[in-house]
Amino acid sequence: MVLKKKKKEIQVDAFSLDCQQLEKLQGFSKAEEQNLASLLLHCAQLSNGIQQIQCIKQIMPLVKAMDQNSACDPMLKACLEILGETYFSLNMKNPLKKVLASSLNGLPEWFMTLAVQSFVCCLREELKTTDVYLYRKVLDNLASCMEDFNLGRASITNLFEEVLQFLQKALLDIQEENRSNNGNRIVQTRLMHDLLMAIKVAMMLVQKLQENIQGSLWKNHESFVWQSMCNLLKSSSDFLMDETLLQTVQTTSGLAFILFTKAMYEPAEELPSLVSDLLCGSRKLASMPAWFVNNCGALCTEQLSDSVLLFLCHGALAMLDWKSGSMGENGEKLLLDIASVLLSLSSELKESSMATSLSRILAIWTNSALAALIPDSPNLKVKLNGNSEVVGKLLEYVYTHWEHPLDAVRHQSKLIFRNLLQIHRTIIAASDEKSDPFFARLTRRLLSLEWHVKGKYASLACLVECLGTENILQLDRSIPVQILNVMNDQSLAPYASDLLETMFTNHKVQFTSGSQKSTWIDQWHDVWVSPLLQILCEGNHDQTTYIIDYYLPKLLRCSPDSLSYMIRILQASADANLGSWSTRGALGALMACLRTARAHGHLELSNIMSRGLVSTESIKQGLVHQHNQVCIDALGLLCETHRSTEIVSVEEMQLILFFITYNLNSQSPSVRQQICSLLRKLFCRIRESSQVLYKWEQNKTKQELFEDSPKRNPLGILQKYQDFLSSLCDRLFEALFPGSSHPTRFSALSILGSVAEIFSVQKGQEQVFRLDQEINSARVRTLIQCFASTFEEVKVLAFELLMKLRDVVFSLQDSESLDLLFQAAMDLSTSTKPYDCVTASYLLNFLAYHEDLQHICLGKWIKHNPQMNEDTSVGTVEKNILAVIKLLLVNVEEEIFQAKKSLLQAAASFPMYGRVHCINGALQQLPLNNLMFVTEWKQIVARLILMSYELSAVVSPVVQSSSPEGLIPMDIDSETADRLHMILKEIQPQDTNDYFMQAKMLKEHCKIQSEKLAEHKPMENICTEMRGKESQICDVTAQMVLVCCWRSMKEVSLLLGTLCKLLPTQASSEPSHGLITVEQVKNIGDYFKHHLMQSRHRGAFELAYAGFVQLTETLSRCNSESLRKMPEQWLRCVLEEIKSCDPSSTLCATRRSAGIPFYIQALVASEPKKGKMDLLKMTIKELMSLASPSSEPPSAIPQVHALNILRALFRDTRLGENIMPYVADGIQAAILGFTSPIWAVRNSSTLLFSALITRIFGVKRGKDENSKKNRMTGAEFFSRFPSLYPFLLKQLEVVANTLNSEDEELKIHPSLFLLLLILGKLYPSPMDGTYSALSMAPFVPFIIRCGHSPVYRSREMSGRALVPFVMINEVPHTVLSLLKGLPDSASLCIRQNNIHGTLLQVSHLLQSYLDSKQLGNSDFEQGLSDIVTCIGSKLWLAKRPNPCLVTRAAFLDVLVMLSTHLGNSQKQVLLTGEELPFEPEGLQHAVAGLQAVLNSFNFQSLFGLFQMLVLHGGRISVKGKQLFLQTLSAEG
């Protein structure tokens, strides 16, 4: 069902006139007849903007009715002046402005002069504005005048010089004001947008009014217009070079620079050469005009930055005319120069916004190139055909960016690829695309790619558009099935479905336009529908779900007639194939198809039933099917419709009730969510259709009584709706019995909440059902009992439902029950069970909405404030919550006082965190920035902050201990001092914490003998018996104390974070109205810093981080510069403290630096993401300098902190792509840190390296270590991180040199594993071309040498890492050189590690080579033959003379791989030497050679085993391999 959003009512701000204008209109208006003045007067008196629009539309008919002589009428002149003043006073986005402009465009010609005079006067007044912050309004008006407004354009033409002067002044003033507000981000952002608007207006002026500047522009360089244009050109070049401005301002400045130069430069034919010189850095100043050099000196003389080059390229592409080669040969040269510059920048610009801009500008370049192609440009055609260097490099860019993390870059890569194909098609217009070598090679390469490569799908779709689906399918008929098999991965399903849609849509067009118009549908079904039905019946859950969601709707939209075919096939086997818990079966597939068809409007349920497509019994089977998704599809069939007002039939309602009976207790959260979502759609449909039925009933006529049944008896249907909803609610409330399961409660409460929300009473509408009429006291008790659930989501749902029904709920509650509930809430708030305080919070929040709460409950606890009771009109909730918080605050202050005496007693009897949690929950119910009792709240806030500090002081010694998990602090009570001291001594770690020193002092105070302590033996379960206030005995464990302490810290942190949100109120109003002061905020910041720096317990500092994030986000939005600068000051201070290596520092160097990374993370992430991210840059720079190993470090602790903080920053998703430019530096720091002799540095480096691998390659979601999903091609990797190329190469050389020693000493370089791990994450791609500047060849010899490592895992990884660095055509040569390097049996020095590493590398290279789908290539077959020949010469490694079973097994793997490949390619060939029919000579030789190798073993058992292997084309199992080795040993 498609739920249409109701259109928002357009809000139009009405305009008003001042007294003088009104008096003028009143003087001209006539009571007896309507004239222009009276119409304007009436319009001005309206307060509704929509009505004013209607009124303005009546102006032109009145004006057109006036004759030409009226041009001298003073009334007309006055009205036009008022219209001009009104136009310029309106906001740019106000629809009134556009309506007024549109109306005035129809002004008769004889009134234009008078109107222009009026508007010129108004515009002249606007241009006199001198306040920088009012420039924006003037700029908006200028822009409006030039946009399809004849009168405005004429006015600007008359004031052309004044407008130019204003724009010059505005650009300079805004730039100067921006400099003076350096650091004030809010003001600077506003000024940046004003500056951007000023540049755009200047561009519009030049573009739309060029006729005004032609006469005086280049003929007279002394004219005002020329000087003004020079100033505008100078400003645009300055802005272009200013790196401190926003990127959008620089981009627009690049456009303006080219536009202004184009307007001024002469001859125009030389302009492309000028731009080429600027881009290429030739700096031919002698050939440049003096005025250009004077105004753009920096561009002509300085080395241009990458960003400036990028924006210049954008300006040239956007502002020059590329159509039909209008700029001649100079234009063609510029086009190619721009491509060269952009491609060189692609390896330099890695910052996310710049990378996005580059991809977009490259896409613009391809559009320009397409436009520039004309028949008589042979040179350009040669340079831009598919085999050219430029196109090759652009394709290389596409291949390395089609899986970029940024959506925008991926999308632009697709556009570039499509345009490149179009360019080549245009160039070869006379020939056939199918036979074109470029298209053939590209298609073959794309099809050879793995299906996990997301870029493959969009590129294949572009190829399909060029070549047609049939041409692609001729290469491989199994492509549709392959793509459907990929759709079990949700990350690939959208790409796969888009490709399939392109293919089957194109295939249908090919069929229908061909000669097979009558028979095409059967062939089309065989290709696209039959595989789908088979997978729907037998596929796994994920695959079928994604196919139904992504593919099936598109297929039905393309061919709705295919639905009958699908139903016929599935219906035939539905009874026999009902499915199971793991497969849908035909019944499940049928339900899915019917659901999708109905939801998209291809079918109605009444037709389904009447035509016998599916029976009620079949739907019932589906509703209780053991496969969850079949149940959901059957329910969706009933609930989802294309029309939201379709009548719900009785059969549907009965089936829904049948479904509810059996499915409320679903154990799957996703299934429960889908059930609630589908039923919500059903309720919306009932509501919408009931409104239609009410209208039918009101408008019912006699004629309609004889028409279709819904209109004949709408009241009957409405009654059935009521009965159905009432029955449904009865069943849901029955399911909420005490002891019901969590899934049942969740489902029932969610559905009831939807009913209450959807059928809520709305003004002017009748509702078919009201849930509050079904509520009684027993059901209220049932809902309140849900608060006792241990699952908070059940508490949330119950609370929300009670709030929706609170009027009737409170009316059913007497004062006694309310009092009991309040007493229970207060008791639960001090429970030692953490979830009890959550229950207490929801109970108190619920009771806070009762009007008489203070009289019924709170009167026993606190005194009433008579001032608060005087005004009964103010919010009840605020009064109640204020009173509840006061009560809780008094209690927690008393408990803190007791906890100072005995923390153990507090942990056992009254843990304070429950009270604070309730305070926090109560504050969430209020609009904190719109409170009535400001004075009372100020006092409460101050007390809450002090209470937080006191509570934190009590519990912080525990969470700040170096081992808080086992700590019980010492109490002053002498009764328990002996035993407590013994416990403390037993669990005391070696730490400098002052709290432990206090414990030792307490020993002397209590006079405990050391001999007595020595008699105590260690205890496994440490507990303390103590007496509470009422002399009951309770056991206190260290865990109870810790839970009490860290939860208290958690609640304090969240409370302080909530209170910090009150800061904007203080900053935006009078100090007396603020609830929190600046000084309090600073103290809160110091508090968070103290605890994040010193807390050791993860639960404590993680929650302190949550509160601190709220504070930093609040500070970043402040108007006060001192507050806004605080995060930067805190950040600099903590970085200095980390660098200082002060021995007295309290920073925690263990526990991964504890809260320090969280502290810095919060400060950095609070920075606005659209700015320059200066804090992030500064932080990363400082941390990288600390993380890099130095020759003589004073201490390793700063390096450990830096590595741990970097790990946190790279893991923070909020930093997104802003952190990616620093990934390469992070990898270098991690690898170098792993060589440190200090364990702490190596440990932190390992953690950082792990985080970076995840950041680069994505989160690993499968168990397959070698899966290509979390990998990338070598070309893509080094394109994104070019600085890693020389670094990894150098490190790999160092590692390889340590393994090259001839002595027997075991030498393992620490970085070996990391280097091979990251190189092993790369894989080769058929798309890797020859245009990359980074060659992979230098890595190969070092990786080969790494295969000689004495560590088995390293040898294995080196084999995998070698593959992406060897080009596919170089594999045979590399394999042969590796095989030749294996020793002979007579060699004196045989190193089995070297042999094993070499064989593993051969195995991985061969596997990659055989998977490359180059079977038909003669070079491939010859290379294979040579490899087999070489293997025969090293056969002794598989025989008994080789004593190492590991290397013999590795050699056997190579044999098995070759035999499997040859067996698959020619299964009919037996190993008796039979000639291969029609087979190339090279492959014959390979098979014969392998046969000879195996025959050399000369025993029947091996021959038979191998023959079986070849004939079956499979791999040997582990057990089979062992048998093979035993045979080799016996026979060898």
Side-chain angles (χ1 to χ4, degrees), residues 17-34:
L17 302 179
D18 58 32
C19 297
Q20 187 177 357
Q21 291 170 325
L22 289 173
E23 288 176 3
K24 190 182 293 185
L25 288 176
Q26 286 169 353
F28 289 111
S29 61
K30 298 179 181 179
E32 63 277 4
E33 61 175 339
Q34 187 182 41

Side-chain angles (χ1 to χ4, degrees), residues 977-979 981-982 985 1000 1002-1016:
D978 293 355
R979 189 171 181 188
H981 186 77
M982 179 270 296
K985 187 172 182 68
K1000 291 177 181 177
L1002 192 61
K1003 171 183 174 182
E1004 299 175 4
H1005 175 73
C1006 299
K1007 300 180 180 179
I1008 299 176
Q1009 301 290 334
S1010 59
E1011 294 84 359
K1012 185 177 179 180
L1013 286 173
E1015 293 174 1
H1016 290 282

Side-chain angles (χ1 to χ4, degrees), residues 326-394:
S326 58
M327 290 186 288
E329 292 184 1
N330 288 339
E332 292 180 6
K333 180 181 180 300
L334 174 59
L335 187 69
L336 296 173
D337 287 342
I338 290 174
S340 176
V341 171
L342 290 175
L343 289 168
S344 67
L345 291 176
S346 65
S347 61
E348 303 296 331
L349 298 174
K350 299 303 173 186
E351 197 259 325
S352 57
S353 60
M354 300 302 286
T356 305
S357 296
L358 176 62
S359 64
R360 183 167 49 84
I361 295 167
L362 275 172
I364 295 172
W365 183 91
T366 57
N367 285 323
S368 301
L370 199 54
L373 281 174
I374 55 174
D376 57 345
S377 55
N379 182 48
L380 193 60
K381 286 185 177 182
V382 172
K383 296 287 188 181
L384 295 183
N385 74 70
N387 302 309
S388 66
E389 183 180 355
V390 174
V391 172
K393 289 183 177 180
L394 283 168

Side-chain angles (χ1 to χ4, degrees), residues 777-804:
S777 56
R779 290 182 172 177
V780 172
R781 283 197 300 273
T782 299
L783 292 176
I784 292 175
Q785 285 170 358
C786 290
F787 286 149
S789 170
T790 54
F791 294 89
E792 186 166 2
E793 58 183 3
V794 171
K795 301 178 197 282
V796 172
L797 290 170
F799 176 74
E800 290 175 350
L801 183 56
L802 285 167
M803 287 299 97
K804 292 169 185 172

Side-chain angles (χ1 to χ4, degrees), residues 462-601:
C462 296
L463 264 181
V464 166
E465 293 169 1
C466 284
L467 305 179
T469 301
E470 188 59 34
N471 292 332
I472 303 293
L473 290 179
Q474 284 176 2
L475 298 174
D476 190 349
R477 286 281 170 188
S478 66
I479 287 177
V481 177
Q482 292 178 42
I483 301 174
L484 286 172
N485 289 335
V486 170
M487 292 188 71
N488 58 0
D489 186 340
Q490 189 176 19
S491 63
L492 299 175
Y495 300 93
S497 65
D498 288 343
L499 173 58
L500 284 168
E501 182 182 21
T502 302
M503 293 185 75
F504 65 63
T505 304
N506 183 277
H507 206 200
K508 180 181 177 181
V509 171
Q510 284 183 301
F511 275 131
T512 52
S513 61
S515 59
Q516 307 173 349
K517 291 186 178 180
S518 58
T519 60
W520 71 270
I521 191 69
D522 293 332
Q523 298 178 46
W524 195 82
H525 283 161
D526 289 341
V527 176
W528 304 108
V529 180
S530 297
L532 163 72
L533 297 181
Q534 184 177 356
I535 291 176
L536 285 183
C537 294
E538 305 300 334
N540 62 52
H541 174 267
D542 288 343
Q543 185 181 17
T544 54
T545 300
Y546 301 143
I547 285 175
I548 291 167
D549 289 345
Y550 294 103
Y551 177 56
L552 187 56
K554 295 175 179 178
L555 187 72
L556 291 175
R557 185 167 61 245
C558 175
S559 177
D561 296 337
S562 299
L563 179 63
S564 57
Y565 169 79
M566 297 163 71
I567 292 174
R568 185 173 70 251
I569 297 296
L570 293 173
Q571 207 172 27
S573 55
D575 294 335
N577 186 7
L578 293 175
S580 65
W581 64 271
S582 60
T583 58
R584 293 172 181 267
L587 176 65
L590 180 61
M591 290 295 151
C593 293
L594 292 174
R595 174 193 178 182
T596 305
R598 189 185 186 198
H600 291 82

Side-chain angles (χ1 to χ4, degrees), residues 982-1265:
M982 179 270 296
I983 294 170
L984 184 59
K985 187 172 182 68
E986 186 173 319
I987 65 173
Q988 178 180 343
Q990 297 299 318
D991 195 285
T992 58
N993 195 308
D994 290 342
Y995 206 84
F996 293 104
M997 298 303 295
Q998 294 172 8
K1000 291 177 181 177
M1001 290 167 59
L1002 192 61
K1003 171 183 174 182
E1004 299 175 4
H1005 175 73
C1006 299
K1007 300 180 180 179
I1008 299 176
Q1009 301 290 334
S1010 59
E1011 294 84 359
K1012 185 177 179 180
L1013 286 173
E1015 293 174 1
H1016 290 282
K1017 296 180 180 179
M1019 299 164 59
E1020 291 186 3
N1021 296 319
I1022 303 171
C1023 66
T1024 302
E1025 291 183 1
M1026 64 167 302
R1027 299 181 183 275
K1029 294 179 181 178
E1030 299 176 2
S1031 300
Q1032 72 271 25
I1033 295 178
C1034 54
D1035 288 342
V1036 184
T1037 63
Q1039 286 75 17
M1040 289 176 67
V1041 175
L1042 181 62
V1043 167
C1044 172
C1045 294
W1046 83 258
R1047 282 188 173 272
S1048 297
M1049 290 289 286
K1050 161 192 168 181
E1051 298 300 339
V1052 164
S1053 298
L1054 294 177
L1055 175 60
L1056 291 175
T1058 302
L1059 295 178
C1060 287
K1061 293 179 181 178
L1062 301 171
L1063 183 61
T1065 303
Q1066 170 68 24
S1068 60
S1069 61
E1070 293 296 322
S1072 59
H1073 296 156
L1075 300 183
I1076 186 170
T1077 65
V1078 173
E1079 192 61 33
Q1080 287 173 325
V1081 171
K1082 290 180 178 178
N1083 291 337
I1084 291 173
D1086 292 337
Y1087 165 84
F1088 278 124
K1089 177 184 177 182
H1090 174 75
H1091 285 284
L1092 281 168
M1093 294 292 103
Q1094 296 192 7
S1095 290
R1096 264 64 165 175
H1097 189 273
R1098 187 170 186 86
F1101 58 69
E1102 276 188 346
L1103 272 300
Y1105 164 74
F1108 189 53
V1109 165
Q1110 293 178 322
L1111 171 61
T1112 55
E1113 289 177 350
T1114 302
L1115 291 175
S1116 67
R1117 296 192 300 265
C1118 277
N1119 293 326
S1120 168
E1121 186 174 356
S1122 62
L1123 288 174
R1124 201 172 48 253
K1125 288 280 187 183
M1126 283 174 66
E1128 182 179 353
Q1129 294 167 2
W1130 290 339
L1131 186 58
R1132 292 185 184 278
C1133 286
V1134 73
L1135 289 174
E1136 284 299 322
E1137 188 172 353
I1138 291 171
K1139 285 195 293 186
S1140 66
C1141 305
D1142 187 359
S1144 64
S1145 173
T1146 57
L1147 299 182
C1148 177
T1150 60
R1151 295 175 178 260
R1152 300 174 185 173
S1153 298
I1156 304 172
F1158 287 88
Y1159 181 74
I1160 292 181
Q1161 199 176 336
L1163 292 172
V1164 171
S1166 66
E1167 192 176 16
K1169 303 299 178 291
K1170 293 183 180 180
K1172 295 285 185 179
M1173 300 295 289
D1174 294 327
L1175 279 187
L1176 177 63
K1177 292 176 183 176
M1178 181 268 292
T1179 305
I1180 294 289
K1181 182 180 178 182
E1182 292 285 351
L1183 293 174
M1184 287 297 177
S1185 65
L1186 291 175
S1188 302
S1190 56
S1191 56
E1192 294 181 0
S1195 170
I1197 292 178
Q1199 188 179 1
V1200 171
H1201 284 315
L1203 292 168
N1204 290 330
I1205 295 165
L1206 284 170
R1207 171 178 177 262
L1209 294 178
F1210 282 117
R1211 293 180 68 190
D1212 193 342
T1213 55
R1214 291 174 302 166
L1215 295 175
E1217 286 300 306
N1218 291 315
I1219 198 73
M1220 289 305 290
Y1222 311 105
V1223 163
D1225 294 334
I1227 287 284
Q1228 295 181 37
I1231 291 176
L1232 293 175
F1234 208 67
T1235 62
S1236 171
I1238 301 169
W1239 178 87
V1241 176
R1242 295 198 305 275
N1243 180 53
S1244 296
S1245 299
T1246 308
L1247 295 171
L1248 172 60
F1249 185 81
S1250 174
L1252 286 165
I1253 290 293
T1254 303
R1255 171 62 85 168
I1256 295 170
F1257 298 104
V1259 179
K1260 181 173 165 289
R1261 303 193 182 279
K1263 295 182 179 179
D1264 184 8
E1265 287 288 340

Side-chain angles (χ1 to χ4, degrees), residues 30-81:
K30 298 179 181 179
E32 63 277 4
E33 61 175 339
Q34 187 182 41
N35 62 2
L36 187 57
S38 58
L39 180 62
L40 282 178
L41 183 62
H42 170 69
C43 185
Q45 291 170 343
L46 294 172
S47 59
N48 187 312
I50 302 291
Q51 293 175 349
Q52 285 185 335
I53 287 177
Q54 301 302 323
C55 199
I56 285 174
K57 289 180 179 179
Q58 300 173 24
I59 291 176
M60 274 309 107
L62 272 179
V63 174
K64 288 179 180 178
M66 301 168 69
D67 56 21
Q68 297 186 22
N69 297 326
S70 301
C72 300
D73 189 347
M75 183 269 292
L76 180 62
K77 182 180 179 182
C79 290
L80 288 173
E81 287 176 356

